[in-house]
Amino acid sequence: MDKFYIGSHVDNKAPDFVLGSVKEALSYGANALMFYTGAPQNSFRRPVSELKGKEALELLKENNILLSNVVVHAPYFINLANVTKPEIFEFSLKALIDEINRVAALGYFKLVLHPGSHVKAGAELGIEQLIKGLNLAIAATKECKVRILIETMAGKGSEIGITLEQVHQIISGVEDKDRIGVCLDTCHLSDAGYDINDTEGMVKMLDEIIGLANIYAIHINDSKNPRGAHKDRHENIGYGFIGFEALSRFAHHEAFNDIPKILETPYINEKAPYKDEIAALRCNIFNSSLK
Ligand code: FE
Ligand code: FE
Ligand code: ZN
């Protein structure tokens, strides 16, 4: 079986919802995918029973797509690192618990979460608060096998989880190790100052600081900005400052063999570029005619 697991972010919308997400992924030739359980920006969520979850699982099975290659992304408004406004922490905690339950009900077990922003309280306090929230959310969802994957961030505004040390600190603070892990994002790593082009150096550093076994998903994105820019603006694969070769080499590294790689690159002329980008990465040949 093909050991290179690659896919993209896909829609989850009427009328087919998660079944539609799987269909969209298949149309790109993907063997991995990521979706949101509703609009990432707001808290409106349709009941899971309406999302065609069972049909989605059947279609995945028919196409030999492993459940470990299906990633759900938590909504953006969750901010467990907010120390100054207890109501935001409480609201975020409830939203995360709901989201974990939704992911479990749909039959999946990987949930990517942005670590959040400390606003003005400083990273240390923000991280402490996030760890507290993660432990509470995990304790409130004991029956769920869902693993929360902390995404590495670009360092925009007052984000936490920018350095690998911070990400390690966060996962170390979570008591139930079966429920926590990491999702890398190549655009964010580069924006945070890391050199994706130095593949071996990167893999070594990831292993030393985070531990390769703690990585469960990787977002593969190029960056519109040079290394260390802290901007978080994704670019199509090979059209940004990281470049095709560096991204492809990173994605194909044997250390990441069993890990789903997910594209979150921008649409080109209102069209998803994922079929072409997946093909290019799979055969390791840059497609220079995308834009
Ligand atoms: Fe993300
Ligand atoms: Fe990402
Ligand atoms: Zn991003």
Side-chain angles (χ1 to χ4, degrees):
M1 217 194 204
D2 187 1
K3 281 285 271 177
F4 187 57
Y5 300 130
I6 179 119
S8 70
H9 151 78
V10 288
D11 276 333
N12 168 10
K13 58 173 198 237
D16 275 345
F17 301 104
V18 182
L19 175 63
S21 309
V22 178
K23 283 182 183 167
E24 185 183 339
L26 291 171
S27 79
Y28 301 146
N31 54 6
L33 62 142
M34 182 176 81
F35 64 90
Y36 293 81
T37 63
Q41 306 84 358
N42 68 51
S43 60
F44 171 76
R45 290 293 179 269
R46 219 170 261 283
V48 174
S49 57
E50 291 174 20
L51 298 180
K52 303 207 179 178
K54 202 168 157 274
E55 292 99 312
L57 288 174
E58 279 163 15
L59 190 59
L60 286 168
K61 202 167 175 207
E62 270 168 42
N63 288 278
N64 297 314
I65 296 184
L66 304 173
L67 291 182
S68 54
N69 288 332
V70 180
V71 180
V72 182
H73 199 306
Y76 299 144
F77 60 78
I78 294 181
N79 185 11
L80 289 170
N82 194 316
V83 191
T84 40
K85 291 202 175 130
E87 64 275 19
I88 292 186
F89 178 80
E90 288 306 323
F91 174 73
S92 297
L93 180 60
K94 191 186 169 301
L96 180 59
I97 292 169
D98 287 350
E99 189 71 7
I100 292 169
N101 284 318
R102 260 193 304 276
V103 173
L106 285 167
Y108 308 112
F109 51 85
K110 287 185 177 178
L111 176 63
V112 172
L113 177 71
H114 289 180
S117 299
H118 62 75
V119 195
K120 283 187 181 87
E124 270 312 307
L125 286 177
I127 289 171
E128 241 175 71
Q129 185 80 344
L130 169 61
I131 291 170
K132 183 177 141 201
L134 288 169
N135 280 321
L136 287 169
I138 288 167
T141 54
K142 271 210 168 68
E143 330 66 49
C144 299
K145 303 240 183 309
V146 177
R147 193 184 288 273
I148 301 166
L149 308 180
I150 299 298
E151 182 165 354
T152 60
M153 300 312 279
K156 216 172 67 179
S158 66
E159 278 174 350
I160 60 166
I162 309 155
T163 65
L164 298 180
E165 284 81 3
Q166 282 183 351
V167 174
H168 175 253
Q169 193 187 340
I170 296 163
I171 65 170
S172 298
V174 172
E175 287 148 28
D176 189 347
K177 302 298 177 203
D178 293 336
R179 302 289 305 278
I180 195 78
V182 172
C183 171
L184 306 177
D185 185 310
T186 54
C187 168
H188 299 175
L189 284 169
S190 174
D191 276 28
Y194 294 101
D195 185 5
I196 299 296
N197 191 40
D198 175 16
T199 323
E200 292 305 330
M202 255 337 283
V203 171
K204 190 161 174 275
M205 203 189 308
L206 285 164
D207 196 27
E208 283 169 2
I209 304 173
I210 285 179
L212 294 176
N214 286 315
I215 301 168
Y216 288 87
I218 306 179
H219 293 162
I220 303 286
N221 303 304
D222 212 328
S223 177
K224 283 195 199 296
N225 293 285
R227 186 145 73 92
H230 302 298
K231 296 270 203 238
D232 192 4
R233 298 205 46 221
H234 301 186
E235 181 56 283
N236 293 100
I237 306 301
Y239 293 83
F241 278 84
I242 305 175
F244 183 83
E245 268 182 52
L247 287 167
S248 187
R249 217 183 314 118
F250 190 80
H252 283 279
H253 195 285
E254 59 178 7
F256 307 136
N257 261 355
D258 294 315
I259 304 173
K261 287 97 191 171
I262 305 289
L263 299 162
E264 302 172 300
T265 50
Y267 275 36
I268 302 170
N269 301 325
E270 276 141 63
K271 249 196 86 208
Y274 305 130
K275 189 174 186 183
D276 290 323
E277 289 186 322
I278 286 169
L281 280 170
R282 192 169 266 142
C283 46
N284 191 22
I285 301 170
F286 178 50
N287 184 341
S288 60
S289 60
L290 290 183
K291 62 192 224 181

